[in-house]
Amino acid sequence: MAIKYGRPIELREVSRRDGTTASPALDLTVRPRRNRKAEWARRMVRENVLTADDLIWPLFLIDGSNKREAIASMPGVDRLSVDQAVRDAERAMKLTIPCIALFPYTDPSLRDEEGSEATNPNNLVCQAVRAIKKEFPDLGILCDVALDPFTSHGHDGLISDGKILNDETVAVLVRQALVQAEAGCDIIAPSDMMDGRVAAIREGLDHSGLLDVQIMAYAAKYASAFYGPFRDAIGSAKTLTGDKRTYQMDSANTDEALREVELDISEGADMVMVKPGMPYLDVVRRVKDTFAMPTFAYQVSGEYAMIAAAANNGWLDGERAMMESLVAFKRAGADGVLSYFAPKAAEKIRAQ
Ligand SMILES: NCc1[nH]cc(CCC(=O)O)c1CC(=O)O
Ligand SMILES: [Mg+2]
């Protein structure tokens, strides 16, 4: 078949014109717009669909009771006392969101150089896990493993002479993972980017008989400016000294992401994650195509804040930007997305 897309009608060898029918200006055999002519037609050819099953909803915790404290840089997101987190867990259940993720705002009086509160079996995260599991045992709970919500310096690991110690940190992370898993956490998600932590955590879990606890590795986690609002939310923005570039990845790299992911899979990760999300969709695609693993992306706090702020200013349609950004993760090959938009998006999906 001759290719003649967009060829002007004057160039046709044999004119179809008979003078009686109105002629199109262009002689096009193929008109891709036909498949977009109506909503039903667009639905028929749609390649990717976002469902509630694709969503993981991150929640912030704070000490106290009956508290919902607004986070200025994340409009619409609150820090929740444990009882309120249970209420949001119920909302997740009703919306059929499969899993929530928990992040604590640790009282400054409980923060120290070693992040020792991380391994307290009664810390805020463990309390919340127990309370939520008691009421909603069928809701998945993911817990972040890293020391930054607990350290006075805001880093994810132990420091000596201004250096983040790898192996010493991993030993603490294993204990943190164990207290969370023992509290009932389903998915351990190390976000610290220390080398070898996945293998160490797997071994720790297995030795404690916690064979079914999954690991979702923040495998390709970049040193990013987009974590700013999260650090406000957990109260580490002001205390953080320096940056995290000796452990989180350089945003210019993608081959390195594949090596990081490969290592975490070989160490026992059940699922892998790319973070941040929207600026790193190319990495999501490469990871999915290369490893065919359950692959997740984290639409982080700064990505949420950008859309929320623009929407609040009337600069864009917040709901549409939210849905467009989320389906982009599916298009890039992600199996799911951690997003602060999760409940809103699930409500929107439900209403459609
Ligand atoms: N290690 C902690 C952690 N886990 C998730 C995020 C960011 C999530 C977000 O921005 O929404 C961070 C921040 C950081 O690494 O500084
Ligand atoms: Mg690694």
Side-chain angles (χ1 to χ4, degrees), residues 193-198 218-220 259-261 263-264 267:
M193 287 298 279
M194 298 300 123
D195 298 329
R197 89 282 204 214
V198 172
Y218 286 73
R259 297 195 297 272
E260 281 281 8
V261 169
L263 273 172
D264 285 1
E267 290 178 25

Side-chain angles (χ1 to χ4, degrees), residues 103 144 146 148 156 191 218 221 226-227 230-231 244 248 275 298 300-301 340:
F103 297 94
D144 198 86
D148 55 319
D156 294 29
S191 73
Y218 286 73
K221 175 171 176 178
F226 291 101
Y227 306 150
F230 173 96
R231 292 177 191 167
K244 301 191 177 184
Q248 299 179 349
K275 177 186 172 193
Y298 199 142
V300 299
S301 55
Y340 303 97

